[in-house]
Structures are given as C-alpha cells and as structure tokens.
C-alpha cells in the first residue's frame, strides 16, 4: 500500500485534501480535512497512510499525551532550557487517527504494524536517552509511547519513529528537540537577610523581580522558624536546613514558558502548624524531604497547581494531601515514598488536572489514619 506524505496529498486537490480511490470517479473522492502544518517540523512528524485494510489513516507524533485543550495534535519541534546537572523526563507519543472520521483509530491501525521503534540521534551535543520500557499513555489516546530523558548537554536531537508494516511498507516520522542550559542565580542565607518572615518575603519578591524568566533561582534557607505566611510568585527552589514554617507557604500562579519547565521545588522544610493550611499551591510544586504536622490541611493543590510528593511525612493533620485542581502543568503524576501517619484523611482527591489522569502511589505507607484514601472517582492507583 502507498505511503502518502503531506506534500503528495496537497498536490491532489485545491482548498482541501483529497484522495482518489482506485477506479473511483471524481465524484466519489474522499475529501479530507485541511492539514494546517505551519512549519517543516510539523509536516515531518505526520503523514497519511493507506492501510492494507483499505482505510486511510492520519499518523502523527507528539511530545505529550494531549494538548492544552485536551486534544491530541502533531508536534514536530520543542525546545527547553534545563538546569546544569539536572534531567528532564518527558513522553514521546505516536497516534493513529481515521483520516475520514477524525476518530482515534489505534485499535484498527496497530494490527497492521509488524514492529516499531523510536530513536534519538544528536545532531549537536549528546543524544537524549530513550527509556526502552513501554510508557503507557493509552488513556490519553497514544498508540505507542516511550519516556525520554534529556539534559542541557543534549543540544539538538532528531527523534525518528519507524513503523515496519506487515505488508512491507515503512512509515517514518521525525521530530526535533533543542536543549540548552538555564542560567543559575543563588541566594544564600549567609549573604542575604532571611532572619524574619518580613525579610525573607522581601527577598522572595526581589528574586522574582530581578531575575530573568529563564534563570534557575535557588534560595538556601537558614535554620529559622517563620511564623507568618510566605508567598512564592515565580518558579524557584527553596532548600531548607533546619527551616520551620509555622505560618505556611503559598505558591501563587506561575508564568509558564514554552522552553522551560516551570515548577517550585520545596526541599527539607518542616511545616509545623496549629490549624489552617500548611502548603497551598496554585502552580506546579515539587515537595521532597519535608514534614507536615498539625494542620487542618497539610498540603493543598487548587486550580493551576499540582503537588508532586516525594519522600515526605504527613503526621497528625486533619487532611494530609488535598488535591482539587482542574488544570495545571504537571511536574509528575506519581507520589513516591511518602508516609501518611495518624491523619484524619491521608489523601483526598476531588479533581485531577487532566481528564484521563490517574494518581499513582509508589511505596507510600499509611498508618493510623481515619481514612487512607477519600477517592470517590477511583482516580488513585496504589502500586
């Protein structure tokens, strides 16, 4: 069967896509939706393919399970700035749609494929690493997927998808990624005034104002107890060292960028409360090595926010983790190695940011909670 590239189809019609069937008169042409590929990258990551079953398929690659509007769409190029020494994980996904109906057709297309692979080759810099285990993004409509790992040293990479069809055809799609290093700006308690909540808040505000959006901002906190609420208004790292927050922390909505991950990282901080909310986020927030105790709600994600909990302890709170976010840029869909002890409710899930998403708990322990999971929609999976 024939592999019909975007350029080939474009030559067959004016004002839309058309494919003439074998022996069909012009009146019976199948008219396809117009492909609006604005650049060469998006043209190279998609194609039309007439399968051995006689159906016409639209096959394309992307870098995510779904677009911001929840729809899958071709994506042939992405760029990202990554902090030195850090890794960025992300999905590579491939889709098959019925070109006539516009519906996902992976179940019909997959039996036509004998084998497939996806590779990364460095045109400049180091090659991205492809995680060879299957990544399951089927809930988001993907037919095939892999996780891949990049660093700032990866430079420019070409991602190549190769489908070997049972009838001997080969389908090839390509994507391009470019990576660079994010500049680092550090604020250390040895050099900055962080002795009071007022002083620390002034520093956090100044850091948001005087740094560039692409900067990696890290604030190294002292062994001080802060008894007033603190607010973070840009993506940054907050690294504690004997730091205690009794007034709580609020992550305000963050400005997203197309070429960098946006996330607030909070590490090694003790949240010790007497009621109220310990950590409230309206932006993606990664929390690691922290302890929460004594709060009505220890950690809460609202619209625009998400909490990725790693190696934390939630002890003696009304609700330990309250997830009520209908939209957010995710910094991970897993909760790993966290302990939930003697809480009223350990994890309450009201909404998750993506419709098809589940919350996966890996190596999390529960002891003495009145309710471990308040999850009426069945969105939590314990691994």
């Amino acid at each position: 069967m024939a592999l019909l590239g975007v350029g080939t189809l474009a030559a067959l019609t004016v004002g839309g896509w058309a494919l003439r069937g074998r022996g069909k008169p012009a009146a019976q042409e199948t008219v396809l939706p117009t492909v609006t590929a604005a650049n060469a990258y998006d043209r190279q990551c998609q194609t039309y393919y007439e399968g051995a079953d006689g159906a016409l398929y639209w096959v394309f690659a992307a870098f995510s399970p779904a677009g911001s509007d929840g729809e899958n769409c071709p994506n042939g190029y992405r760029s990202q700035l990554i902090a030195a020494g850090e890794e960025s994980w992300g999905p590579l996904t491939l889709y098959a749609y019925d070109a006539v109906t516009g519906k996902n057709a992976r179940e019909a297309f997959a039996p036509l494929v004998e084998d497939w692979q996806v590779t990364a080759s460095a045109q400049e810099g180091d090659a991205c690493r492809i995680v060879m285990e299957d990544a399951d993004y089927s809930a988001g409509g993907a037919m095939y997927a892999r996780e891949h790992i990049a660093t700032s040293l990866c430079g420019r990479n070409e991602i190549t998808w190769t489908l070997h069809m049972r009838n001997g055809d080969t389908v090839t799609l390509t994507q391009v990624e470019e990576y660079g290093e994010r500049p680092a700006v550090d604020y250390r308690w040895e050099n900055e005034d962080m002795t009071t909540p007022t002083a620390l808040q002034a520093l956090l505000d100044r850091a948001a104002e005087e740094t560039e959006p692409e900067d990696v901002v890290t604030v190294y906190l002292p062994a001080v107890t802060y008894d007033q609420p603190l607010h973070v208004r840009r993506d940054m790292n907050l690294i504690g060292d004997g730091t205690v927050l009794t007034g709580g922390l609020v992550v305000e909505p963050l400005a997203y960028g197309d070429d960098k991950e946006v996330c607030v990282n909070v590490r090694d901080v003790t949240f010790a409360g007497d009621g109220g909310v310990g950590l409230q986020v309206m932006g993606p927030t990664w929390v690691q090595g922290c302890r929460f105790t004594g709060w009505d709600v220890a950690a809460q994600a609202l619209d625009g926010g998400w909490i990725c909990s790693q190696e934390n302890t939630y002890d003696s709170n009304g609700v330990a983790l309250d997830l009520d976010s209908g939209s957010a840029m995710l910094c991970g869909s897993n909760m790993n190695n966290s302990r939930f002890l003697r809480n009223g409710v350990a994890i309450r899930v009201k909404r998750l940011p993506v419709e098809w998403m589940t919350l996966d708990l890996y190596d999390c322990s529960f002891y003495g909670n009145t309710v471990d999971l308040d999850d009426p929609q069945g969105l939590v999976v314990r691994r």
Side-chain angles (χ1 to χ4, degrees):
M1 294 297 176
L3 176 64
L4 303 174
V6 173
T8 303
L9 285 175
L12 296 180
T13 187
V14 176
W17 299 97
L19 179 68
R20 289 179 170 83
R22 295 181 179 84
K24 291 183 180 180
Q28 297 183 21
E29 291 177 356
T30 301
V31 179
L32 305 176
T34 300
V35 173
T36 55
N39 55 66
Y41 297 118
D42 285 350
R43 290 192 292 272
Q44 293 168 0
C45 75
Q46 59 181 307
T47 192
Y48 286 99
Y49 178 77
E50 184 181 7
D53 58 358
L56 187 67
Y57 296 96
W58 179 34
V59 185
F60 62 87
F63 292 108
S64 62
S68 59
D69 58 358
E71 295 295 329
N72 300 310
C73 55
N75 190 348
Y77 177 82
R78 74 187 296 263
S79 63
Q80 183 180 349
L81 298 176
I82 305 173
E86 294 188 0
E87 295 180 339
S88 174
W89 287 61
L92 302 171
T93 49
L94 187 131
Y95 301 85
Y97 276 65
D98 186 303
V100 177
T101 67
K103 296 184 179 299
N104 193 302
R106 64 185 180 190
E107 293 184 1
F109 187 82
L112 306 179
V113 181
E114 179 71 30
D115 190 19
W116 67 278
Q117 64 187 52
V118 57
T119 60
S121 59
Q123 298 167 308
E124 300 174 7
D126 297 341
C128 298
R129 286 180 286 149
I130 305 294
V131 181
M132 297 311 296
E133 294 81 5
D134 286 337
D136 186 3
Y137 288 95
S138 58
M143 182 172 65
Y144 301 131
R146 288 281 191 258
E147 295 287 347
H148 76 308
I149 309 169
T151 71
S152 61
L153 300 178
C154 285
R156 182 181 175 91
N157 270 236
E158 184 171 283
I159 308 297
T160 303
W161 293 86
T162 306
L163 308 183
H164 301 285
M165 311 304 292
R166 293 186 183 276
N167 64 359
D169 289 345
T170 300
V171 179
T172 302
L173 304 174
T174 60
Q175 300 168 282
V176 171
E177 294 184 295
E178 291 186 304
Y179 297 95
E181 182 177 324
R182 293 183 64 184
V185 180
D186 293 345
Y187 298 88
R188 298 180 179 273
W189 62 267
E190 297 93 337
N191 305 320
E192 303 283 351
D193 183 8
M194 306 184 197
T195 55
T196 66
T198 301
L200 178 55
Q201 186 62 64
L203 174 66
L204 296 176
D205 292 342
R206 176 162 61 87
E209 294 172 359
E210 69 184 13
T211 55
E212 299 298 327
E214 65 270 17
D215 292 340
V216 179
V217 176
T218 302
V219 179
Y220 293 91
L221 301 169
V224 170
T225 297
Y226 297 99
D227 60 1
Q228 298 295 321
L230 297 169
H231 293 256
V232 174
R233 298 182 172 89
R234 70 150 289 164
D235 59 303
M236 65 173 61
N237 304 312
L238 297 176
I239 311 299
D241 184 6
T243 308
V244 180
L245 303 185
T246 62
L249 177 68
V250 177
V251 175
E252 304 285 357
L254 303 178
Y256 296 140
D258 294 333
D259 61 349
K260 69 183 181 74
E261 293 182 342
V262 175
C263 187
V264 171
N265 294 283
V266 183
R267 298 182 185 177
D268 302 326
V269 172
T270 296
F271 291 77
D274 184 17
V277 179
L279 173 65
Q280 185 178 81
V281 307
M282 289 160 282
T285 305
W286 185 289
V287 186
Q288 183 174 9
C290 295
R291 181 178 180 85
F292 296 81
T293 184
W295 302 95
D296 291 332
V297 178
Q300 181 181 56
L302 301 178
D303 280 345
W306 179 247
I307 296 172
C308 189
S309 177
Q310 310 288 319
E311 302 172 357
N312 301 305
T313 297
Y314 303 85
D315 190 353
S316 302
N317 303 283
V319 177
L321 194 57
D322 183 32
L323 303 177
D324 188 14
S325 176
S327 61
M329 178 183 288
L330 299 181
C331 52
S333 60
N334 301 337
M335 303 288 178
N336 298 343
N337 301 301
S338 291
R339 300 192 305 160
F340 298 85
L341 312 174
R342 296 175 288 272
N343 301 285
V345 177
I347 300 177
R348 173 179 292 162
V349 180
K350 299 176 182 176
R351 293 180 298 159
L352 295 182
V354 181
E355 182 179 353
W356 50 264
M357 176 183 172
T358 59
L359 175 64
D360 295 333
L361 305 181
Y362 288 89
D363 299 320
C364 291
S365 58
F366 298 81
Y367 175 79
N369 305 293
T370 304
V371 177
D372 287 343
L373 298 176
D374 181 2
D375 177 29
Q377 301 178 67
L379 301 175
V380 178
V381 178
R382 296 174 70 166
R383 303 292 187 181

